[in-house]
Amino acid sequence: MRRYNKQQQISASFGKDMRIIIKDLYLDNMMSSIEIVDYIKQNTQIDITARSIQRLLKGMGITRSVKNAFNNAIKRNRVHWQYKELKYKRIRLSSKLRYKILKRDNFKCVLCGNTAKTNILEVDHIIPISKGGSSDDDNLRTSCNACNKGKQYNEDCKK
Ligand SMILES: [Zn+2]
C-alpha cells in the first residue's frame, strides 16, 4: 500500500491527481516514464519507479502509438535514424517485352553480333535503372552474356 500513499502524497504536492499529471506529461509533453520519474522527484522529492508510472498509464488505457513513440525516441536521440540506402531492385522485364526487343535486334547481340547459338542473349538497359534509365524500348537492347560481363566490369571500373 506504500505506492498508494506515494500517489496520494504526489497528488497533494501538485494539488492535482497524480494520474492526470502523468497523463499530461506523457501525452502532451511526450515525456518517457523515466523522465516523468525525474520530474516527480524534482518537484516532490518522492521516488517512484518508472514501472509504477507505466502501470498507472496502462490502467488508464493510455498508450502512445508506435509511430509517436518512435518519433519521440528519434527526437530525443534515443534512436538514431538512418535512411537505408535503397538498392535498386532488378526490374524484371516481361517476356513479351524481352521478345519484342530480341526480335527488333534480329536475335543478335547489338555489341558483337553473337547469337543464341553461341551465347546467352539478354535484354539489358543501356542506361541502368540505378542511373535513372527507363524500361522503354529505346533504352533496351539485346546483348550477349559475354558483352554484359564486360559492360559490368567497365561500369565498376568507372566508379
Ligand atoms: Zn556480345
Side-chain angles (χ1 to χ4, degrees), residues 109-114 143-148:
C109 171
V110 297
L111 300 168
C112 72
N114 272 340
S143 61
C144 69
N145 55 340
C147 286
N148 251 331

Side-chain angles (χ1 to χ4, degrees), residues 122-133:
E122 294 162 3
V123 173
D124 80 329
H125 292 85
I126 299 166
I127 301 166
I129 296 281
S130 61
K131 290 182 179 138

Side-chain angles (χ1 to χ4, degrees), residues 95-152:
S95 47
K96 197 178 161 189
L97 181 57
R98 275 174 47 84
Y99 185 77
K100 188 181 158 192
I101 301 300
L102 287 165
K103 198 177 170 189
R104 182 198 68 190
D105 295 340
N106 298 314
F107 300 94
K108 278 180 187 170
C109 171
V110 297
L111 300 168
C112 72
N114 272 340
T115 66
K117 279 179 189 165
T118 55
N119 289 75
I120 297 164
L121 293 180
E122 294 162 3
V123 173
D124 80 329
H125 292 85
I126 299 166
I127 301 166
I129 296 281
S130 61
K131 290 182 179 138
S134 73
S135 292
D136 294 336
D137 289 11
D138 57 4
N139 192 42
L140 294 171
R141 69 177 170 201
T142 304
S143 61
C144 69
N145 55 340
C147 286
N148 251 331
K149 268 181 199 150
K151 184 188 153 209
Q152 276 159 18

